[in-house]
Amino acid sequence: GGARVGQGGGILLPAQRVSAGSGGQSGGQEEVTVRLGMLTNNPVIDCGLLAWFLAQLIKVILDAVLLRKLDMGRFVSSGGMPSSHSALVVACTAAIGKLYGIQGPVFALSVIMSSVVMYDACNVRRSAGDTARLVNQILAHVEKLTAEDFADDLREVMGHTPLQVLMGALLGLGVGLLV
C-alpha cells in the first residue's frame, strides 16, 4: 500500500525490509516502518521545513565554493540561489497533493498561495532590492552627507531571479514528493 496517516498525524510509509545486521544472525531481516512528521508531528510542515533547510544549506555551500567564503549568516538570509521561500511553499503543496489529493480545496489554496509567494519573490521583493541598490549608489555620490548619516546600506539582495525561484520550486517539489 501507499502512505497512510498514523496516530498523532504522522505519515506512515509502507514497511520496507532491511537487514538487521546483528551478530550471529546470517541474513536476518527486520521490518521497519519509516515515520515522517516527527519534528512537528505534521508531515506537511516537516516537508516545508526540510525544503527550506536544504535551500539555505545550498546557498551557504554555493557561496563557500563560488566566493571562497564561508558565511553562515547566509543560512538565515533571504535572496540567492535557490529560493528557500519557493522550496518551502512548493514542498508543502506537493505534500498536500500527494497525501490528500489534488481535487480538494486545501490543495487549491496551497497552489494559489505558492503562486503568490513565488510571484512576490520574483517581482515585488526583487524590485525592492533593485531600488535599494540604486539608493545606495546615489548616497555614495552625495557629497554633503557623511558616512555617519547613513551608517548602514539598504539591503540589496531581497528577491530572486526567475531561475532562482524555479530551482527553489523544483527542490520543494522533490522534497514534497518524499512524503
Side-chain angles (χ1 to χ4, degrees):
R4 57 185 164 67
V5 179
Q7 289 184 341
I11 296 302
L12 301 175
L13 296 178
Q16 299 177 358
R17 298 299 232 166
V18 296
S19 173
S22 58
Q25 299 176 353
S26 63
Q29 298 281 316
E30 179 180 322
E31 195 167 307
V32 176
T33 302
V34 178
R35 185 171 189 268
L36 299 175
M38 295 176 70
L39 182 62
T40 66
N41 212 27
N42 184 318
V44 174
I45 293 174
D46 283 3
C47 279
L49 292 176
L50 177 61
W52 174 87
F53 176 84
L54 291 174
Q56 293 300 97
L57 182 62
I58 289 169
K59 289 178 191 182
V60 171
I61 292 169
L62 283 176
D63 278 3
V65 170
L66 299 176
L67 304 176
R68 299 189 190 283
K69 175 183 169 190
L70 182 61
D71 180 7
M72 294 308 287
R74 288 289 289 138
F75 199 81
V76 293
S77 67
S78 61
M81 173 72 86
S83 167
S84 57
H85 291 85
S86 298
L88 184 145
V89 296
V90 172
C92 289
T93 300
I96 288 168
K98 188 169 181 189
L99 293 173
Y100 307 108
I102 62 171
Q103 299 300 318
V106 174
F107 180 77
L109 178 62
S110 188
V111 167
I112 297 300
M113 295 307 297
S114 294
S115 300
V116 168
V117 168
M118 291 187 291
Y119 176 86
D120 176 67
C122 263
N123 296 296
V124 178
R125 288 178 48 232
R126 186 169 181 209
S127 179
D130 291 343
T131 301
R133 187 176 308 106
L134 179 60
V135 170
N136 286 336
Q137 290 172 355
I138 291 170
L139 293 177
H141 293 93
V142 175
E143 296 175 20
K144 294 188 290 184
L145 300 174
T146 65
E148 292 82 31
D149 293 328
F150 299 96
D152 296 321
D153 285 344
L154 296 174
R155 184 153 159 49
E156 295 179 11
V157 181
M158 292 184 182
H160 298 282
T161 64
L163 178 62
Q164 292 169 338
V165 170
L166 175 64
M167 299 314 316
L170 291 174
L171 173 66
L173 181 62
V175 171
L177 292 177
L178 290 176
V179 174

